Every structure is written in C-alpha cells, then in structure tokens.
Amino acid sequence: AQKITQTQPGMFVQEKEAVTLDCTYDTSDPSYGLFWYKQPSSGEMIFLIYQGSYDQQNATEGRYSLNFQKARKSANLVISASQLGDSAMYFCANGASGNTPLVFGKGTRLSVIA
Amino acid sequence: ETGVTQTPRHLVMGMTNKKSLKCEQHLGHNAMYWYKQSAKKPLELMFVYSLEERVENNSVPSRFSPECPNSSHLFLHLHTLQPEDSALYLCASSQDSGVSSDTQYFGPGTRLTVL
C-alpha cells in the first residue's frame, strides 16, 4: 500500500525567500508518480508539478522545483522567491499504476510573511 | 468554460433533503473522481469512473450515489445525509485511471453543510 508523509503541519517564510516543503513516500510499485498540489482558501486543488519514478532529472515548473531523492523516498517541493499569493495548503500525492488510487498526504500550511 | 467545473459551489441542506452535485470536465479526459475533504483529514477518495464505468467505490455509504452519464459529466446524488457528511466535495478528472503519470485536475469544489 502507498503512504505519503508530510511532517510539517505549518511553515512560515519571508516574502522573496525560498522554502522547502517535505514529503516522504512509501510504495512497493516500481513505477510511480509524485505530485504536488496547492489548495488556497477557496478550496480548489491546483496542480503544481509532477515527478516520475524513472525521471533522471528533478522536475521544475517556474518557481517550483521538486527535490527527488529516490533512495531516501523523498520528494520535497522547493518554492523559490516566495510571494504572498503562495500562502496556501500544499499536498504531496503518490500515484501508482493499475487502478491504484492517488494517495494524498495530510498537507502543509504555508504562510508567506511580508 | 475550461478545465473542471462544479456546481453548486455552496450547498446547505437538511438531513431529509435530496440534492445533487454536478461536475463537468472540458479536458477530453476518460476518468473522473469524487473526493471528500473534511476538516483536518486527508483527502478521501469516494468514487472513480473510467469511460463511464465505476472502477472504484471506497466503502462509501449508500446515501451517496454517483452517476456518470458520459465521460464529461459526473453527478453525486445525496439523500438523508448526516451532519458529519458536511465537507468540501471535490471532483477531478484525468486522461485515464490507473496510470501513474496521469495528473488529476480538480474542480473548485462544493462546500456542503448538512443541518
């Protein structure tokens, strides 16, 4: 069974600084994907970034990058140059093949301070 | 409209009411999902449909009844709900179900309050 652990219930970061949100996963599937979503107070889950288990390079999307360490089973999200609009809940999720549902972590609440 | 839309955005209902939540995706995807998000709990998968067939039903009480008339539309019919069913209900879609690289795209959710 898959499991996602996000150990930071809440994080604070100064505007324009970088922040790392932690995510560790546990899966026995050799082929899997790791996703990060942002959920503002409005409720919508916004897809940010994806990393495949066989990808050699860390994924990047604008100010978001994924620090993928396969041996440690970690997939931390790095947000560079934080903005006030980045304040939200952030969820890490793990997808595997074969009709296995996407498994979400409990989330980290990020607060960006001016 | 683009992406995934959900209506209504907010719903207040009594325990004896019957209501329906609607989800529509404009992405040409084959799989659609219902999730429940309660306060301080992880996202819970309720139902998965792939090409209009239900492929996952996560022990959801029968007072929640899904319907997928075509690959673009998904409904969640609600009847005789309990106050603990109050939550944010999120719909999502992906190209296919069961593919590890398929990203799920979510709608804005329906915030349900059961009195």
Side-chain angles (χ1 to χ4, degrees):
Chain A
Q2 300 153 262
K3 186 179 176 184
I4 291 281
T5 303
Q6 293 181 254
T7 57
Q8 306 152 313
M11 290 278 287
F12 289 89
V13 65
Q14 200 76 34
E15 198 179 5
K16 300 180 187 176
E17 297 290 311
V19 63
T20 298
L21 306 184
D22 294 342
C23 172
T24 57
Y25 60 92
D26 191 9
T27 179
S28 55
D29 208 303
S31 176
Y32 54 89
L34 295 152
F35 303 82
W36 277 93
Y37 288 86
K38 172 184 178 182
Q39 188 178 39
S41 56
S42 59
E44 182 174 0
M45 295 281 274
I46 302 166
F47 166 68
L48 295 178
I49 195 166
Y50 163 80
Q51 178 84 43
S53 57
Y54 293 118
D55 293 343
Q56 295 295 315
Q57 302 219 333
N58 286 344
T60 60
E61 285 285 349
R63 293 186 300 111
Y64 305 109
S65 61
L66 205 151
N67 184 0
F68 182 45
Q69 298 188 42
K70 197 169 182 177
R72 293 187 177 183
K73 294 193 172 182
S74 77
N76 298 339
L77 177 71
V78 181
I79 306 175
S80 62
S82 297
Q83 301 172 356
L84 295 177
D86 294 335
S87 295
M89 283 291 288
Y90 287 81
F91 292 92
C92 179
N94 175 211
S97 300
N99 280 329
T100 308
L102 201 60
V103 174
F104 285 80
K106 292 185 178 180
T108 295
R109 181 170 298 281
L110 177 67
S111 300
V112 181
I113 306 164
Chain B
E1 290 262 30
T2 58
V4 182
T5 57
Q6 288 186 244
T7 54
R9 294 293 309 276
H10 299 271
L11 179 62
V12 179
M13 59 188 287
M15 289 193 284
T16 57
N17 291 158
K18 288 185 182 181
K19 295 286 183 185
S20 295
L21 310 186
K22 179 183 175 182
C23 175
E24 185 173 358
Q25 58 97 0
H26 309 267
L27 300 168
H29 288 165
N30 295 320
M32 296 187 77
Y33 310 78
W34 278 118
Y35 287 89
K36 176 183 177 182
Q37 188 178 32
S38 306
K40 298 182 182 178
K41 281 189 179 181
L43 217 58
E44 299 172 59
L45 179 66
M46 300 175 74
F47 301 104
V48 180
Y49 276 83
S50 178
L51 296 169
E52 300 137 51
E53 273 195 44
R54 193 190 309 180
V55 296
E56 185 93 19
N57 177 352
N58 268 5
S59 304
V60 179
S62 58
R63 57 186 184 269
F64 295 92
S65 174
E67 180 191 358
C68 188
N70 54 62
S71 58
S72 298
H73 293 85
L74 185 64
F75 294 89
L76 188 63
H77 304 298
L78 317 171
H79 63 99
T80 59
L81 293 192
Q82 305 297 312
E84 60 264 29
D85 297 322
S86 298
L88 180 68
Y89 288 84
L90 289 161
C91 173
S93 73
S94 65
Q95 187 59 55
D96 293 291
S97 68
V99 177
S100 64
S101 58
D102 265 355
T103 299
Q104 290 185 24
Y105 294 91
F106 286 78
T110 295
R111 199 164 290 280
L112 173 68
T113 303
V114 182
L115 302 176

